[in-house]
mmCIF file of all heavy atoms in Angstrom:
data_model
loop_
_atom_site.group_PDB
_atom_site.id
_atom_site.type_symbol
_atom_site.label_atom_id
_atom_site.label_comp_id
_atom_site.label_asym_id
_atom_site.label_seq_id
_atom_site.Cartn_x
_atom_site.Cartn_y
_atom_site.Cartn_z
ATOM 1 N N ARG A 27 97.486 84.756 130.361
ATOM 2 C CA ARG A 27 98.482 85.793 130.661
ATOM 3 C C ARG A 27 97.867 87.183 130.738
ATOM 4 O O ARG A 27 98.536 88.134 131.129
ATOM 5 C CB ARG A 27 99.569 85.803 129.578
ATOM 6 C CG ARG A 27 100.578 84.692 129.687
ATOM 7 C CD ARG A 27 101.602 84.798 128.581
ATOM 8 N NE ARG A 27 100.977 84.529 127.286
ATOM 9 C CZ ARG A 27 100.899 83.308 126.748
ATOM 10 N NH1 ARG A 27 101.388 82.268 127.386
ATOM 11 N NH2 ARG A 27 100.329 83.136 125.575
ATOM 12 N N GLY A 28 96.613 87.288 130.278
ATOM 13 C CA GLY A 28 95.989 88.592 130.223
ATOM 14 C C GLY A 28 96.158 89.289 128.889
ATOM 15 O O GLY A 28 95.790 90.460 128.747
ATOM 16 N N ASP A 29 96.724 88.587 127.895
ATOM 17 C CA ASP A 29 96.784 89.140 126.547
ATOM 18 C C ASP A 29 95.372 89.187 125.973
ATOM 19 O O ASP A 29 94.567 88.269 126.204
ATOM 20 C CB ASP A 29 97.665 88.282 125.631
ATOM 21 C CG ASP A 29 99.135 88.250 126.046
ATOM 22 O OD1 ASP A 29 99.497 88.937 127.019
ATOM 23 O OD2 ASP A 29 99.907 87.520 125.402
ATOM 24 N N LEU A 30 95.073 90.248 125.239
ATOM 25 C CA LEU A 30 93.743 90.427 124.669
ATOM 26 C C LEU A 30 93.747 90.059 123.187
ATOM 27 O O LEU A 30 94.577 90.554 122.421
ATOM 28 C CB LEU A 30 93.276 91.881 124.838
ATOM 29 C CG LEU A 30 91.908 92.247 124.251
ATOM 30 C CD1 LEU A 30 90.795 91.403 124.846
ATOM 31 C CD2 LEU A 30 91.629 93.732 124.448
ATOM 32 N N PHE A 31 92.810 89.196 122.805
ATOM 33 C CA PHE A 31 92.668 88.737 121.422
ATOM 34 C C PHE A 31 91.380 89.320 120.848
ATOM 35 O O PHE A 31 90.369 89.388 121.541
ATOM 36 C CB PHE A 31 92.595 87.209 121.368
ATOM 37 C CG PHE A 31 93.878 86.520 121.714
ATOM 38 C CD1 PHE A 31 94.387 86.562 123.005
ATOM 39 C CD2 PHE A 31 94.595 85.807 120.748
ATOM 40 C CE1 PHE A 31 95.571 85.923 123.329
ATOM 41 C CE2 PHE A 31 95.778 85.164 121.070
ATOM 42 C CZ PHE A 31 96.273 85.222 122.357
ATOM 43 N N VAL A 32 91.428 89.722 119.580
ATOM 44 C CA VAL A 32 90.242 90.256 118.922
ATOM 45 C C VAL A 32 90.136 89.652 117.519
ATOM 46 O O VAL A 32 91.141 89.522 116.812
ATOM 47 C CB VAL A 32 90.256 91.802 118.855
ATOM 48 C CG1 VAL A 32 91.500 92.331 118.176
ATOM 49 C CG2 VAL A 32 88.994 92.339 118.170
ATOM 50 N N SER A 33 88.908 89.271 117.155
ATOM 51 C CA SER A 33 88.644 88.847 115.777
ATOM 52 C C SER A 33 88.522 90.105 114.921
ATOM 53 O O SER A 33 87.567 90.870 115.062
ATOM 54 C CB SER A 33 87.344 88.042 115.701
ATOM 55 O OG SER A 33 87.520 86.743 116.203
ATOM 56 N N ASP A 34 89.514 90.293 114.075
ATOM 57 C CA ASP A 34 89.555 91.444 113.174
ATOM 58 C C ASP A 34 88.866 90.998 111.885
ATOM 59 O O ASP A 34 89.501 90.696 110.881
ATOM 60 C CB ASP A 34 91.024 91.825 112.960
ATOM 61 C CG ASP A 34 91.211 93.095 112.169
ATOM 62 O OD1 ASP A 34 90.229 93.836 111.989
ATOM 63 O OD2 ASP A 34 92.352 93.334 111.724
ATOM 64 N N SER A 35 87.521 90.949 111.951
ATOM 65 C CA SER A 35 86.775 90.197 110.931
ATOM 66 C C SER A 35 86.922 90.783 109.535
ATOM 67 O O SER A 35 86.983 90.060 108.549
ATOM 68 C CB SER A 35 85.295 90.088 111.324
ATOM 69 O OG SER A 35 84.621 91.312 111.149
ATOM 70 N N GLY A 36 86.991 92.118 109.438
ATOM 71 C CA GLY A 36 87.121 92.727 108.126
ATOM 72 C C GLY A 36 88.456 92.458 107.461
ATOM 73 O O GLY A 36 88.595 92.586 106.238
ATOM 74 N N ASN A 37 89.440 92.060 108.263
ATOM 75 C CA ASN A 37 90.766 91.702 107.738
ATOM 76 C C ASN A 37 91.025 90.198 107.756
ATOM 77 O O ASN A 37 92.162 89.763 107.494
ATOM 78 C CB ASN A 37 91.862 92.424 108.527
ATOM 79 C CG ASN A 37 91.886 93.915 108.259
ATOM 80 O OD1 ASN A 37 91.783 94.347 107.109
ATOM 81 N ND2 ASN A 37 92.008 94.720 109.307
ATOM 82 N N ASP A 38 89.996 89.400 108.104
ATOM 83 C CA ASP A 38 90.103 87.937 108.086
ATOM 84 C C ASP A 38 91.271 87.425 108.927
ATOM 85 O O ASP A 38 92.009 86.526 108.524
ATOM 86 C CB ASP A 38 90.243 87.423 106.639
ATOM 87 C CG ASP A 38 89.053 87.793 105.778
ATOM 88 O OD1 ASP A 38 87.919 87.786 106.294
ATOM 89 O OD2 ASP A 38 89.247 88.107 104.585
ATOM 90 N N ARG A 39 91.402 87.980 110.106
ATOM 91 C CA ARG A 39 92.501 87.574 110.986
ATOM 92 C C ARG A 39 92.098 87.773 112.441
ATOM 93 O O ARG A 39 91.103 88.442 112.751
ATOM 94 C CB ARG A 39 93.762 88.403 110.686
ATOM 95 C CG ARG A 39 93.585 89.882 110.998
ATOM 96 C CD ARG A 39 94.840 90.712 110.767
ATOM 97 N NE ARG A 39 94.587 92.109 111.183
ATOM 98 C CZ ARG A 39 95.541 93.016 111.348
ATOM 99 N NH1 ARG A 39 96.814 92.701 111.141
ATOM 100 N NH2 ARG A 39 95.225 94.259 111.738
ATOM 101 N N VAL A 40 92.894 87.186 113.332
ATOM 102 C CA VAL A 40 92.776 87.429 114.773
ATOM 103 C C VAL A 40 94.084 88.064 115.214
ATOM 104 O O VAL A 40 95.167 87.592 114.849
ATOM 105 C CB VAL A 40 92.514 86.120 115.546
ATOM 106 C CG1 VAL A 40 92.507 86.361 117.056
ATOM 107 C CG2 VAL A 40 91.194 85.488 115.100
ATOM 108 N N VAL A 41 93.984 89.151 115.974
ATOM 109 C CA VAL A 41 95.186 89.814 116.464
ATOM 110 C C VAL A 41 95.214 89.784 117.988
ATOM 111 O O VAL A 41 94.191 89.638 118.652
ATOM 112 C CB VAL A 41 95.323 91.253 115.934
ATOM 113 C CG1 VAL A 41 95.542 91.250 114.427
ATOM 114 C CG2 VAL A 41 94.133 92.095 116.295
ATOM 115 N N ARG A 42 96.428 89.945 118.501
ATOM 116 C CA ARG A 42 96.698 89.776 119.933
ATOM 117 C C ARG A 42 97.487 90.978 120.431
ATOM 118 O O ARG A 42 98.456 91.406 119.804
ATOM 119 C CB ARG A 42 97.519 88.501 120.094
ATOM 120 C CG ARG A 42 98.166 88.286 121.440
ATOM 121 C CD ARG A 42 99.059 87.061 121.339
ATOM 122 N NE ARG A 42 99.458 86.551 122.627
ATOM 123 C CZ ARG A 42 99.969 85.341 122.813
ATOM 124 N NH1 ARG A 42 100.134 84.530 121.781
ATOM 125 N NH2 ARG A 42 100.304 84.946 124.018
ATOM 126 N N LEU A 43 97.043 91.516 121.560
ATOM 127 C CA LEU A 43 97.748 92.625 122.188
ATOM 128 C C LEU A 43 98.279 92.151 123.537
ATOM 129 O O LEU A 43 97.494 91.835 124.435
ATOM 130 C CB LEU A 43 96.790 93.804 122.371
ATOM 131 C CG LEU A 43 97.421 95.185 122.557
ATOM 132 C CD1 LEU A 43 98.224 95.590 121.330
ATOM 133 C CD2 LEU A 43 96.344 96.213 122.846
ATOM 134 N N PRO A 44 99.605 92.065 123.682
ATOM 135 C CA PRO A 44 100.157 91.527 124.925
ATOM 136 C C PRO A 44 99.843 92.410 126.128
ATOM 137 O O PRO A 44 99.791 93.646 126.025
ATOM 138 C CB PRO A 44 101.669 91.499 124.661
ATOM 139 C CG PRO A 44 101.801 91.479 123.166
ATOM 140 C CD PRO A 44 100.663 92.304 122.669
ATOM 141 N N ALA A 45 99.636 91.758 127.259
ATOM 142 C CA ALA A 45 99.320 92.471 128.497
ATOM 143 C C ALA A 45 100.482 93.350 128.945
ATOM 144 O O ALA A 45 100.276 94.361 129.624
ATOM 145 C CB ALA A 45 98.956 91.469 129.595
ATOM 146 N N ASP A 46 101.696 92.979 128.564
ATOM 147 C CA ASP A 46 102.874 93.722 129.020
ATOM 148 C C ASP A 46 103.167 94.959 128.177
ATOM 149 O O ASP A 46 104.187 95.622 128.361
ATOM 150 C CB ASP A 46 104.103 92.816 129.048
ATOM 151 C CG ASP A 46 104.487 92.281 127.659
ATOM 152 O OD1 ASP A 46 103.930 92.774 126.650
ATOM 153 O OD2 ASP A 46 105.356 91.396 127.587
ATOM 154 N N GLY A 47 102.272 95.264 127.237
ATOM 155 C CA GLY A 47 102.468 96.455 126.428
ATOM 156 C C GLY A 47 103.305 96.243 125.185
ATOM 157 O O GLY A 47 103.638 97.200 124.480
ATOM 158 N N GLY A 48 103.662 95.004 124.903
ATOM 159 C CA GLY A 48 104.427 94.708 123.697
ATOM 160 C C GLY A 48 103.622 94.952 122.443
ATOM 161 O O GLY A 48 102.433 95.294 122.500
ATOM 162 N N PRO A 49 104.257 94.765 121.284
ATOM 163 C CA PRO A 49 103.578 95.075 120.018
ATOM 164 C C PRO A 49 102.458 94.090 119.685
ATOM 165 O O PRO A 49 102.488 92.927 120.076
ATOM 166 C CB PRO A 49 104.703 94.994 118.984
ATOM 167 C CG PRO A 49 105.721 94.075 119.590
ATOM 168 C CD PRO A 49 105.652 94.324 121.067
ATOM 169 N N GLN A 50 101.474 94.599 118.970
ATOM 170 C CA GLN A 50 100.375 93.769 118.452
ATOM 171 C C GLN A 50 100.932 92.701 117.521
ATOM 172 O O GLN A 50 101.851 92.945 116.753
ATOM 173 C CB GLN A 50 99.415 94.683 117.701
ATOM 174 C CG GLN A 50 98.336 93.982 116.907
ATOM 175 C CD GLN A 50 97.441 94.991 116.200
ATOM 176 O OE1 GLN A 50 97.011 95.971 116.793
ATOM 177 N NE2 GLN A 50 97.162 94.765 114.939
ATOM 178 N N ARG A 51 100.320 91.497 117.610
ATOM 179 C CA ARG A 51 100.740 90.403 116.730
ATOM 180 C C ARG A 51 99.516 89.779 116.089
ATOM 181 O O ARG A 51 98.431 89.785 116.654
ATOM 182 C CB ARG A 51 101.488 89.327 117.520
ATOM 183 C CG ARG A 51 102.820 89.782 118.083
ATOM 184 C CD ARG A 51 103.634 88.586 118.521
ATOM 185 N NE ARG A 51 104.954 88.996 118.978
ATOM 186 C CZ ARG A 51 105.270 89.294 120.236
ATOM 187 N NH1 ARG A 51 104.326 89.221 121.165
ATOM 188 N NH2 ARG A 51 106.488 89.649 120.568
ATOM 189 N N THR A 52 99.724 89.219 114.908
ATOM 190 C CA THR A 52 98.659 88.464 114.254
ATOM 191 C C THR A 52 98.772 87.005 114.662
ATOM 192 O O THR A 52 99.863 86.420 114.603
ATOM 193 C CB THR A 52 98.756 88.606 112.723
ATOM 194 O OG1 THR A 52 98.605 89.987 112.379
ATOM 195 C CG2 THR A 52 97.667 87.803 112.025
ATOM 196 N N VAL A 53 97.673 86.421 115.080
ATOM 197 C CA VAL A 53 97.649 85.017 115.487
ATOM 198 C C VAL A 53 97.868 84.138 114.246
ATOM 199 O O VAL A 53 97.296 84.398 113.184
ATOM 200 C CB VAL A 53 96.283 84.694 116.147
ATOM 201 C CG1 VAL A 53 96.120 83.208 116.408
ATOM 202 C CG2 VAL A 53 96.141 85.493 117.443
ATOM 203 N N PRO A 54 98.700 83.089 114.358
ATOM 204 C CA PRO A 54 99.013 82.261 113.189
ATOM 205 C C PRO A 54 97.899 81.287 112.818
ATOM 206 O O PRO A 54 98.038 80.070 112.962
ATOM 207 C CB PRO A 54 100.285 81.523 113.612
ATOM 208 C CG PRO A 54 100.178 81.415 115.090
ATOM 209 C CD PRO A 54 99.494 82.677 115.542
ATOM 210 N N ALA A 55 96.792 81.841 112.345
ATOM 211 C CA ALA A 55 95.683 81.023 111.842
ATOM 212 C C ALA A 55 95.554 81.301 110.352
ATOM 213 O O ALA A 55 95.604 82.454 109.926
ATOM 214 C CB ALA A 55 94.387 81.373 112.565
ATOM 215 N N THR A 56 95.379 80.247 109.578
ATOM 216 C CA THR A 56 95.348 80.414 108.125
ATOM 217 C C THR A 56 93.940 80.183 107.581
ATOM 218 O O THR A 56 93.166 79.381 108.110
ATOM 219 C CB THR A 56 96.311 79.433 107.430
ATOM 220 O OG1 THR A 56 95.965 78.091 107.813
ATOM 221 C CG2 THR A 56 97.742 79.700 107.849
ATOM 222 N N GLY A 57 93.621 80.926 106.517
ATOM 223 C CA GLY A 57 92.392 80.688 105.776
ATOM 224 C C GLY A 57 91.129 81.204 106.412
ATOM 225 O O GLY A 57 90.029 80.816 106.020
ATOM 226 N N LEU A 58 91.229 82.102 107.388
ATOM 227 C CA LEU A 58 90.029 82.616 108.048
ATOM 228 C C LEU A 58 89.225 83.508 107.101
ATOM 229 O O LEU A 58 89.790 84.215 106.264
ATOM 230 C CB LEU A 58 90.399 83.427 109.292
ATOM 231 C CG LEU A 58 91.154 82.710 110.414
ATOM 232 C CD1 LEU A 58 91.436 83.677 111.563
ATOM 233 C CD2 LEU A 58 90.390 81.497 110.910
ATOM 234 N N ASN A 59 87.893 83.483 107.279
ATOM 235 C CA ASN A 59 87.002 84.337 106.504
ATOM 236 C C ASN A 59 85.942 84.906 107.447
ATOM 237 O O ASN A 59 85.027 84.203 107.846
ATOM 238 C CB ASN A 59 86.360 83.547 105.359
ATOM 239 C CG ASN A 59 85.601 84.432 104.386
ATOM 240 O OD1 ASN A 59 85.232 85.561 104.706
ATOM 241 N ND2 ASN A 59 85.348 83.913 103.203
ATOM 242 N N SER A 60 86.126 86.154 107.832
ATOM 243 C CA SER A 60 85.249 86.833 108.800
ATOM 244 C C SER A 60 85.172 86.081 110.130
ATOM 245 O O SER A 60 84.106 85.617 110.536
ATOM 246 C CB SER A 60 83.842 87.034 108.237
ATOM 247 O OG SER A 60 83.872 87.947 107.171
ATOM 248 N N PRO A 61 86.299 85.938 110.831
ATOM 249 C CA PRO A 61 86.253 85.290 112.140
ATOM 250 C C PRO A 61 85.370 86.061 113.098
ATOM 251 O O PRO A 61 85.283 87.291 113.034
ATOM 252 C CB PRO A 61 87.711 85.287 112.591
ATOM 253 C CG PRO A 61 88.330 86.441 111.858
ATOM 254 C CD PRO A 61 87.640 86.473 110.526
ATOM 255 N N TYR A 62 84.714 85.333 113.980
ATOM 256 C CA TYR A 62 83.739 85.930 114.903
ATOM 257 C C TYR A 62 84.115 85.588 116.342
ATOM 258 O O TYR A 62 85.086 86.108 116.860
ATOM 259 C CB TYR A 62 82.333 85.441 114.514
ATOM 260 C CG TYR A 62 81.284 86.526 114.490
ATOM 261 C CD1 TYR A 62 81.166 87.374 113.407
ATOM 262 C CD2 TYR A 62 80.401 86.697 115.558
ATOM 263 C CE1 TYR A 62 80.191 88.370 113.382
ATOM 264 C CE2 TYR A 62 79.425 87.684 115.541
ATOM 265 C CZ TYR A 62 79.323 88.520 114.453
ATOM 266 O OH TYR A 62 78.365 89.498 114.426
ATOM 267 N N GLY A 63 83.354 84.715 116.983
ATOM 268 C CA GLY A 63 83.591 84.434 118.395
ATOM 269 C C GLY A 63 84.938 83.790 118.667
ATOM 270 O O GLY A 63 85.484 83.050 117.836
ATOM 271 N N LEU A 64 85.466 84.066 119.867
ATOM 272 C CA LEU A 64 86.721 83.490 120.341
ATOM 273 C C LEU A 64 86.501 82.893 121.725
ATOM 274 O O LEU A 64 85.681 83.376 122.498
ATOM 275 C CB LEU A 64 87.804 84.562 120.464
ATOM 276 C CG LEU A 64 88.187 85.354 119.215
ATOM 277 C CD1 LEU A 64 89.182 86.453 119.590
ATOM 278 C CD2 LEU A 64 88.792 84.422 118.165
ATOM 279 N N ALA A 65 87.264 81.839 122.031
ATOM 280 C CA ALA A 65 87.243 81.293 123.392
ATOM 281 C C ALA A 65 88.534 80.536 123.648
ATOM 282 O O ALA A 65 89.145 79.989 122.716
ATOM 283 C CB ALA A 65 86.051 80.357 123.598
ATOM 284 N N PHE A 66 88.944 80.518 124.901
ATOM 285 C CA PHE A 66 90.084 79.708 125.338
ATOM 286 C C PHE A 66 89.587 78.587 126.229
ATOM 287 O O PHE A 66 88.696 78.790 127.066
ATOM 288 C CB PHE A 66 91.081 80.562 126.133
ATOM 289 C CG PHE A 66 91.928 81.446 125.276
ATOM 290 C CD1 PHE A 66 91.546 82.745 125.023
ATOM 291 C CD2 PHE A 66 93.093 80.969 124.702
ATOM 292 C CE1 PHE A 66 92.309 83.572 124.215
ATOM 293 C CE2 PHE A 66 93.865 81.777 123.892
ATOM 294 C CZ PHE A 66 93.467 83.088 123.643
ATOM 295 N N ASP A 67 90.166 77.392 126.058
ATOM 296 C CA ASP A 67 89.848 76.313 126.992
ATOM 297 C C ASP A 67 90.831 76.364 128.167
ATOM 298 O O ASP A 67 91.796 77.142 128.151
ATOM 299 C CB ASP A 67 89.807 74.958 126.287
ATOM 300 C CG ASP A 67 91.160 74.461 125.806
ATOM 301 O OD1 ASP A 67 92.210 74.985 126.242
ATOM 302 O OD2 ASP A 67 91.175 73.519 124.982
ATOM 303 N N PRO A 68 90.590 75.577 129.222
ATOM 304 C CA PRO A 68 91.463 75.649 130.389
ATOM 305 C C PRO A 68 92.918 75.312 130.095
ATOM 306 O O PRO A 68 93.809 75.757 130.818
ATOM 307 C CB PRO A 68 90.838 74.632 131.357
ATOM 308 C CG PRO A 68 89.399 74.577 130.971
ATOM 309 C CD PRO A 68 89.391 74.736 129.483
ATOM 310 N N ALA A 69 93.161 74.557 129.013
ATOM 311 C CA ALA A 69 94.543 74.217 128.654
ATOM 312 C C ALA A 69 95.229 75.337 127.886
ATOM 313 O O ALA A 69 96.430 75.253 127.606
ATOM 314 C CB ALA A 69 94.561 72.936 127.820
ATOM 315 N N GLY A 70 94.472 76.371 127.527
ATOM 316 C CA GLY A 70 95.063 77.495 126.818
ATOM 317 C C GLY A 70 94.923 77.458 125.313
ATOM 318 O O GLY A 70 95.437 78.344 124.625
ATOM 319 N N SER A 71 94.236 76.454 124.776
ATOM 320 C CA SER A 71 93.999 76.409 123.333
ATOM 321 C C SER A 71 92.987 77.482 122.948
ATOM 322 O O SER A 71 92.032 77.745 123.684
ATOM 323 C CB SER A 71 93.469 75.042 122.905
ATOM 324 O OG SER A 71 94.405 74.036 123.177
#
């Protein structure tokens, strides 16, 4: 969709900024500790 995801490593979370200008959201991933690289597969996972 063009939403931008960033590993917010110092906060142990991944956040998402919608392409349409909507509010920032935290991705529902639990137990992260210094997340680093991100990737999407063709199915959108």
Side-chain angles (χ1 to χ4, degrees):
R27 283 180 292 270
D29 295 357
L30 178 59
F31 291 68
V32 56
S33 285
D34 186 13
S35 74
N37 290 316
D38 300 323
R39 65 177 184 167
V40 175
V41 294
R42 167 187 195 164
L43 200 63
D46 63 11
Q50 171 180 314
R51 294 195 176 91
T52 299
V53 172
T56 57
L58 299 180
N59 189 340
S60 293
Y62 225 80
L64 301 175
F66 283 93
D67 69 16
S71 298

